[in-house]
Amino acid sequence: MRDSDTLSSDIFIGVERAPGESLGYFATRVLRDKIVEGTLRPGQRIFQEAIAEQLGLSRIPVRDALRQLESEGLVRLVPNSPARVAELDPAEFTEIYEMREHLEPLAVERSAPNLTDEQLDRIHRLSEQIENSWDDSERVLKLDRDFHLASMQAARMPRLLRLVEDFWNSSQHFRRAYRETVGESDIAVIRAEHFLLVDALDSRDGKQAAQIARNHIRRTRVRLGGRLEAMSEEQRTAGNARFDPGRR
C-alpha cells in the first residue's frame, strides 16, 4: 500500500537555501533530507511542479535533483509518470547490505586509530542519547545514523566515506522498516553492540571495531532480509488471489 500522494506544503516550512548553494544542490539536499527522515515515504509520488512551487524554484533544478536522487537509489523515475520515492525491494536490500558489510568495517578499522578525543566525546554523547531515546523510533534512527557515521569519520578515505554515506541514505527506509520490527530482545542486542563498538573505539582497536561493525550489519541483513522476503511473498499471494481467473 502506498502512502497518500498528497504533498503537504508544511514539510518545507523552515527550509532555507544556504548562502552560495546552487539551486540544484538546494533542491537535492531538501528532497534527500525529507526522504531519509521519512517525511516522504516509500512509494509516494513526487510531482516536479508542486515541489518547484513550494520551494520557489523552476522545474529544472527539481528535475536535476530527482535525477541525482535516482542515482543514489532514493527515487525511481519512469517516463511520462511522476517520480516516486524508492520502495522496499528485497534484492536491492541484499545488495546494499552486503556491500555495507564489506565497506563499513574497513572504514571503521581505518578510523579507530585516528579518532581525536573530541570525536570520541561526540560518539559517547550520541551513544548516550540513543540510550535515552528508545521510545522515539525516528529520533533513534537519526541518532544511530549519526553514531555510526561518526565512528568512521577519521578514516582518511574520502571516497569510501562518500560511498558509505550514500549507502546509508539509500538504505534508510530499510532501517526504518527494521526499527518497526524490533522487540526488547533486539534492542538489548543493539545496545550491547553499541557498547562494544564504543569500547573498541576508545581503545583505538581498529580490527576489533571492524569486526563488531561487520557483525552488527550482518545481523540486520539476516533479520530484515527474512522479513522483507516474507512481506514480498504476502504481497504476491494477495496479488494472485485478487487476479485469479478461476475465482468467481
Side-chain angles (χ1 to χ4, degrees):
M1 180 179 298
R2 303 185 193 278
D3 287 353
S4 170
D5 289 327
T6 301
L7 184 64
S8 171
S9 60
D10 292 348
I11 70 172
F12 297 114
I13 290 178
V15 170
E16 294 183 359
R17 183 179 161 209
E21 188 175 31
S22 71
L23 297 178
Y25 189 89
F26 169 60
T28 303
R29 174 176 62 81
V30 170
L31 289 173
R32 182 190 295 117
D33 288 348
K34 296 305 177 184
I35 293 171
V36 170
E37 72 186 25
T39 303
L40 293 173
R41 305 287 290 184
Q44 186 168 1
R45 289 191 291 180
I46 304 175
F47 294 93
Q48 290 186 32
E49 297 86 350
I51 296 294
E53 180 180 354
Q54 292 175 22
L55 292 179
L57 304 173
S58 70
R59 291 178 57 185
I60 294 175
V62 176
R63 180 195 63 197
D64 293 343
L66 292 174
R67 288 175 176 169
Q68 173 61 32
L69 295 174
E70 181 187 36
S71 73
E72 297 176 15
L74 293 173
V75 164
R76 295 287 181 265
L77 299 180
V78 179
N80 303 316
S81 298
R84 286 190 183 272
V85 179
E87 297 185 82
L88 300 176
D89 178 85
E92 181 183 15
F93 163 81
T94 299
E95 180 182 8
I96 290 174
Y97 266 74
E98 286 185 347
M99 287 189 288
R100 284 186 57 194
E101 196 174 318
H102 286 82
L103 295 178
E104 288 185 32
L106 172 61
V108 171
E109 181 175 357
R110 296 295 180 86
S111 175
N114 301 323
L115 288 166
T116 66
D117 291 341
E118 291 77 13
Q119 289 170 330
L120 281 169
D121 285 344
R122 179 168 181 262
I123 290 170
H124 277 272
R125 288 196 303 273
L126 288 167
S127 178
E128 291 169 2
Q129 289 170 347
I130 292 171
E131 283 292 297
N132 296 326
S133 304
W134 285 111
D135 58 345
D136 186 341
S137 293
E138 286 301 321
R139 178 168 169 77
V140 167
L141 281 173
K142 182 182 185 306
L143 290 170
D144 185 65
R145 179 181 187 276
D146 292 345
F147 169 78
H148 285 287
L149 292 179
S151 74
M152 299 176 248
Q153 65 185 307
R156 300 175 183 173
M157 301 177 73
R159 291 181 179 83
L160 174 60
L161 294 183
R162 285 196 298 270
L163 188 60
V164 166
E165 186 166 0
D166 283 347
F167 284 148
W168 271 81
N169 289 341
S170 60
S171 65
Q172 187 74 347
H173 52 305
F174 296 123
R175 297 177 60 248
R176 182 169 286 105
Y178 175 69
R179 181 68 186 92
E180 292 171 356
T181 70
V182 300
E184 290 299 322
S185 60
D186 300 295
I187 291 175
V189 173
I190 295 169
R191 293 172 67 185
E193 289 171 340
H194 282 187
F195 174 82
L196 291 171
L197 180 57
V198 171
D199 187 60
L201 295 174
D202 279 338
S203 302
R204 297 341 196 260
D205 188 339
K207 291 190 180 300
Q208 180 66 15
Q211 186 59 51
I212 294 166
R214 184 177 296 108
N215 292 341
H216 188 66
I217 299 167
R218 181 178 299 148
R219 184 179 53 77
T220 302
R221 175 173 62 80
V222 171
R223 168 67 184 272
L224 183 53
R227 175 59 181 156
L228 289 174
E229 286 292 348
M231 290 168 58
S232 180
E233 181 60 32
E234 289 171 4
Q235 290 172 353
R236 284 195 296 269
T237 301
N240 290 338
R242 283 195 300 270
F243 299 109
D244 183 355
R247 294 184 64 188
R248 295 289 186 268

